[in-house]
Amino acid sequence: MINIKSLSLAELGAWFEAQGQAPYRARQVFQWLYQRGVRDFAEMSNVSKALREALAADFHLGALETAQIQESQDGSRKFAFRLHDGHVIESVLMPNNTQHTLCVSTQVGCAMGCDFCMTARMGLVRNLSSGEIVQQVVEAARYVSEGRFIRNIVFMGMGEPLHNYEALVRTIGVLSEDMGFGFSKRRLTVSTSGLVPAIRRFGAERVGANLAISLNGVTDAVRTRLMPVNRRWPLAELMQACREYPADNRVRITFEYVLIRGLTDDLADVPRLVKLLHGIKSKVNLIPYNAGPDSKYQAPSLEQARVFQEALLARGVLATLRISKGQDIQAACGQLVQAGRRNAPRARAAG
Ligand code: SAH
Ligand code: SF4
């Protein structure tokens, strides 16, 4: 059986045609799946019984088992979802007045092996299917109260989205479908550790979602220490790909920069960062390091983080300081890891 949430509108339309039906029926089904979040094909009341049965014979709805929900004092919620094969992934819903941002996972674990990130310790277990990524939005949307809504989706949970390229692009298509959730692509942000060929492909194919690059170091020495991917695609190549990224004029590439005490929070890094960004329409998102159990790095002082931000602003770089939500429930950036694996011995990632 196929997960219906992995299908594009066109593919579902083709299925209806193969049944001798009008392809527009797929639009009705998309409304049921995403706007109504049905749990059973039987709930699709404007679809004939015969067709509902045919759907149920070929597809399943891709429900995820909610293994755990944790609520932070700041109002954010972390979901642990169990997949059909028993693996657990996490998503984080972050409220901001009536609008929410949902952070979704794209893989179980991650192959990139970044030295500061809890997810890296799992290594890559497997890719998520598009249906499994989309379903995180369906499940989380249930917990958004009346009058509120999910405005932004960030692909910044477990995993390296561009390492699961096909499923990612498929997911972006489904989420932005008018008859489904109808997300504007401007409200979808893909964060990558810097897989240069995939960044180029993402740009060339005009996928349309926002791009965020996890920079985290302004010299190859520091960046390679933190992010092994930098050995393969060092800063010069990464920045060249960003410079050549075909974004329209209004769009900026976001550069995430984790501030680690004594390693990346030195003011001497500011001019280097400014130089790296030269010629790129960009903004910088500073993320103070979130420590996990037995982390070897430390967060900067809040004051140092502010000084770093001010120094960037003074040089004309648009810079925001993100105080991660959900730290008390281990839901902050870099703290997502399969439940129960938190104290597992470090597994070296394949890279
Ligand atoms: N794999 C993708 C997206 C998931 S990580 C990527 O690396 O971009 C999302 C963001 O969290 C990245 O910018 C990463 O640098 C940051 N991050 C990882 N671990 C962190 C930690 N312990 N503290 C703060 N930010 C962290
Ligand atoms: Fe993977 Fe991103 Fe964590 Fe690096 S920071 S290990 S790429 S999830």
Side-chain angles (χ1 to χ4, degrees):
M1 275 225 270
I2 297 168
N3 183 349
I4 197 168
K5 304 267 174 49
S6 281
L7 259 56
S8 68
L9 185 65
E11 287 166 341
L12 193 54
W15 181 88
F16 274 104
E17 277 195 299
Q19 308 288 315
Q21 297 287 326
Y24 80 85
R25 294 233 165 249
R27 298 159 67 83
Q28 292 176 327
V29 170
F30 254 54
Q31 284 178 314
W32 286 111
L33 294 178
Y34 303 114
Q35 297 179 11
R36 308 289 284 273
V38 293
R39 292 290 213 187
D40 195 319
F41 289 106
E43 292 174 51
M44 301 180 171
S45 53
N46 59 357
V47 179
S48 73
K49 187 153 185 281
L51 270 177
R52 289 191 319 243
E53 283 170 4
L55 282 166
D58 283 2
F59 303 112
H60 65 88
L61 287 165
L64 293 173
E65 181 196 337
T66 306
Q68 195 185 24
I69 304 176
Q70 285 172 276
E71 264 196 78
S72 163
Q73 286 168 2
D74 64 26
S76 52
R77 258 185 260 206
K78 180 167 78 171
F79 300 87
F81 295 120
R82 186 168 296 114
L83 308 171
H84 64 85
D85 58 3
H87 292 301
V88 176
I89 52 162
E90 296 182 332
S91 318
V92 184
L93 185 62
M94 294 162 282
N96 180 12
N97 299 321
T98 57
Q99 303 172 0
H100 294 57
T101 295
L102 182 69
C103 176
V104 297
S105 293
T106 54
Q107 297 180 313
V108 182
C110 182
M112 306 313 295
C114 300
D115 200 33
F116 51 88
C117 172
M118 288 288 292
T119 308
R121 299 186 186 195
M122 295 171 65
L124 177 62
V125 180
R126 72 165 171 89
N127 276 333
L128 296 184
S129 67
S130 166
E132 288 169 329
I133 306 173
V134 168
Q135 187 66 12
Q136 295 170 57
V137 185
V138 177
E139 301 284 353
R142 259 180 245 289
Y143 294 86
V144 175
S145 42
E146 196 71 39
R148 290 160 196 258
F149 60 101
I150 298 175
R151 183 131 200 250
N152 300 294
I153 304 284
V154 295
F155 298 86
M156 295 185 186
M158 294 160 74
E160 163 54 54
L162 292 185
H163 197 198
N164 186 10
Y165 190 92
E166 312 285 341
L168 173 75
V169 170
R170 185 170 270 277
T171 301
I172 290 168
V174 170
L175 292 178
S176 55
E177 197 59 68
D178 276 350
M179 283 298 129
F181 284 113
F183 281 102
S184 151
K185 288 186 180 170
R186 296 272 163 271
R187 301 268 160 216
L188 309 176
T189 301
V190 172
S191 175
T192 178
S193 57
L195 300 182
V196 168
I199 291 170
R200 291 189 181 278
R201 182 175 171 198
F202 197 75
E205 292 179 354
R206 299 288 197 282
V207 179
N210 299 315
L211 188 63
I213 309 275
S214 298
L215 195 59
N216 301 344
V218 292
T219 63
D220 280 320
V222 170
R223 192 163 192 273
T224 298
R225 173 172 163 191
L226 293 173
M227 307 180 73
V229 65
N230 193 67
R231 228 172 267 137
R232 185 83 190 272
W233 293 290
L235 277 171
E237 282 183 48
L238 175 60
M239 301 318 285
Q240 189 58 27
C242 292
R243 223 163 264 120
E244 290 168 11
Y245 190 76
D248 79 51
N249 296 333
R250 292 164 303 148
V251 178
R252 293 171 189 273
I253 298 179
T254 300
F255 289 87
E256 294 157 288
Y257 187 87
V258 178
L259 291 165
I260 299 176
R261 184 185 291 246
L263 190 62
T264 63
D265 68 345
D266 190 334
L267 283 184
D269 288 343
V270 170
R272 294 196 193 108
L273 182 50
V274 173
K275 201 167 160 206
L276 279 177
L277 298 179
H278 185 75
I280 303 173
K281 243 181 126 50
S282 61
K283 61 184 171 198
V284 172
N285 192 359
L286 300 169
I287 314 172
Y289 175 68
N290 298 304
D294 56 75
S295 333
K296 55 173 145 176
Y297 299 114
Q298 282 185 302
S301 68
L302 186 57
E303 198 203 334
Q304 182 63 14
R306 292 235 161 89
V307 168
F308 200 97
Q309 180 193 17
E310 290 301 328
L312 282 171
L313 292 171
R315 285 166 177 266
V317 174
L318 197 60
T320 52
L321 180 60
R322 175 162 84 198
I323 306 299
S324 291
K325 293 196 180 236
Q327 301 200 25
D328 53 334
I329 54 166
Q330 298 276 302
C333 296
Q335 295 186 323
L336 302 186
V337 65
Q338 182 166 353
R341 285 266 200 137
R342 236 158 226 116
N343 296 312
R346 192 185 164 94
R348 219 26 243 184

Short mmCIF file of all heavy atoms in Angstrom, two decimals, residues 210-211 247-254 280-283 318:
data_model
loop_
_atom_site.label_atom_id
_atom_site.label_comp_id
_atom_site.label_asym_id
_atom_site.label_seq_id
_atom_site.Cartn_x
_atom_site.Cartn_y
_atom_site.Cartn_z
N ASN A 210 12.74 29.14 0.71
CA ASN A 210 13.91 29.90 1.18
C ASN A 210 15.05 28.96 1.53
O ASN A 210 14.83 27.84 1.95
CB ASN A 210 13.56 30.67 2.46
CG ASN A 210 12.46 31.66 2.22
OD1 ASN A 210 12.48 32.38 1.23
ND2 ASN A 210 11.48 31.67 3.11
N LEU A 211 16.23 29.49 1.37
CA LEU A 211 17.42 28.70 1.67
C LEU A 211 18.13 29.29 2.89
O LEU A 211 18.31 30.51 2.98
CB LEU A 211 18.35 28.73 0.45
CG LEU A 211 19.57 27.81 0.51
CD1 LEU A 211 19.15 26.34 0.57
CD2 LEU A 211 20.45 28.05 -0.72
N ALA A 247 18.53 33.63 -6.96
CA ALA A 247 17.38 34.10 -6.20
C ALA A 247 16.90 35.39 -6.82
O ALA A 247 17.70 36.15 -7.36
CB ALA A 247 17.79 34.32 -4.76
N ASP A 248 15.59 35.66 -6.75
CA ASP A 248 15.16 36.95 -7.25
C ASP A 248 15.52 38.02 -6.21
O ASP A 248 15.88 37.72 -5.08
CB ASP A 248 13.69 36.94 -7.70
CG ASP A 248 12.71 37.04 -6.57
OD1 ASP A 248 12.85 37.95 -5.76
OD2 ASP A 248 11.80 36.19 -6.52
N ASN A 249 15.44 39.26 -6.62
CA ASN A 249 16.02 40.34 -5.84
C ASN A 249 15.51 40.50 -4.42
O ASN A 249 16.20 40.99 -3.55
CB ASN A 249 15.79 41.68 -6.56
CG ASN A 249 16.51 41.68 -7.87
OD1 ASN A 249 17.52 40.99 -8.01
ND2 ASN A 249 15.98 42.41 -8.84
N ARG A 250 14.28 40.08 -4.21
CA ARG A 250 13.70 40.30 -2.89
C ARG A 250 14.17 39.25 -1.89
O ARG A 250 13.95 39.36 -0.71
CB ARG A 250 12.17 40.27 -2.96
CG ARG A 250 11.56 41.43 -3.71
CD ARG A 250 10.12 41.11 -4.06
NE ARG A 250 10.06 39.87 -4.84
CZ ARG A 250 9.07 39.01 -4.80
NH1 ARG A 250 8.06 39.21 -4.02
NH2 ARG A 250 9.10 37.92 -5.55
N VAL A 251 14.77 38.19 -2.42
CA VAL A 251 15.03 37.05 -1.55
C VAL A 251 16.46 37.08 -1.01
O VAL A 251 17.42 37.31 -1.76
CB VAL A 251 14.80 35.73 -2.33
CG1 VAL A 251 15.11 34.52 -1.47
CG2 VAL A 251 13.36 35.69 -2.82
N ARG A 252 16.59 36.84 0.26
CA ARG A 252 17.92 36.77 0.86
C ARG A 252 18.20 35.33 1.28
O ARG A 252 17.29 34.61 1.67
CB ARG A 252 17.97 37.62 2.14
CG ARG A 252 17.86 39.09 1.89
CD ARG A 252 17.70 39.83 3.22
NE ARG A 252 17.39 41.22 2.97
CZ ARG A 252 18.31 42.17 2.77
NH1 ARG A 252 19.60 41.87 2.85
NH2 ARG A 252 17.96 43.40 2.53
N ILE A 253 19.46 34.95 1.22
CA ILE A 253 19.85 33.68 1.81
C ILE A 253 20.13 33.94 3.28
O ILE A 253 20.78 34.93 3.65
CB ILE A 253 21.12 33.12 1.12
CG1 ILE A 253 20.84 32.86 -0.37
CG2 ILE A 253 21.60 31.85 1.81
CD1 ILE A 253 22.05 32.33 -1.13
N THR A 254 19.61 33.06 4.13
CA THR A 254 19.89 33.19 5.56
C THR A 254 21.15 32.41 5.89
O THR A 254 21.31 31.27 5.43
CB THR A 254 18.71 32.63 6.38
OG1 THR A 254 17.53 33.36 6.05
CG2 THR A 254 18.97 32.75 7.88
N ILE A 280 26.60 38.80 -1.59
CA ILE A 280 25.46 37.88 -1.46
C ILE A 280 24.33 38.61 -0.74
O ILE A 280 24.57 39.25 0.29
CB ILE A 280 25.84 36.63 -0.63
CG1 ILE A 280 27.04 35.93 -1.26
CG2 ILE A 280 24.65 35.68 -0.51
CD1 ILE A 280 27.59 34.78 -0.44
N LYS A 281 23.14 38.55 -1.30
CA LYS A 281 22.00 39.14 -0.59
C LYS A 281 21.67 38.22 0.57
O LYS A 281 21.17 37.11 0.38
CB LYS A 281 20.80 39.25 -1.54
CG LYS A 281 20.40 40.69 -1.74
CD LYS A 281 19.22 40.83 -2.64
CE LYS A 281 18.11 41.63 -2.01
NZ LYS A 281 18.39 42.89 -1.42
N SER A 282 21.98 38.68 1.77
CA SER A 282 21.95 37.74 2.89
C SER A 282 21.42 38.36 4.16
O SER A 282 21.28 39.57 4.28
CB SER A 282 23.37 37.24 3.15
OG SER A 282 24.21 38.34 3.48
N LYS A 283 21.11 37.51 5.11
CA LYS A 283 20.92 37.94 6.48
C LYS A 283 21.54 36.87 7.37
O LYS A 283 21.70 35.72 6.96
CB LYS A 283 19.46 38.19 6.81
CG LYS A 283 18.58 37.00 6.68
CD LYS A 283 17.13 37.38 6.94
CE LYS A 283 16.22 36.24 6.59
NZ LYS A 283 14.84 36.59 6.39
N LEU A 318 22.51 42.59 8.08
CA LEU A 318 21.25 42.32 8.76
C LEU A 318 21.46 41.09 9.65
O LEU A 318 21.77 40.01 9.14
CB LEU A 318 20.21 42.02 7.69
CG LEU A 318 18.75 42.09 8.05
CD1 LEU A 318 18.39 43.49 8.52
CD2 LEU A 318 17.91 41.73 6.82
#
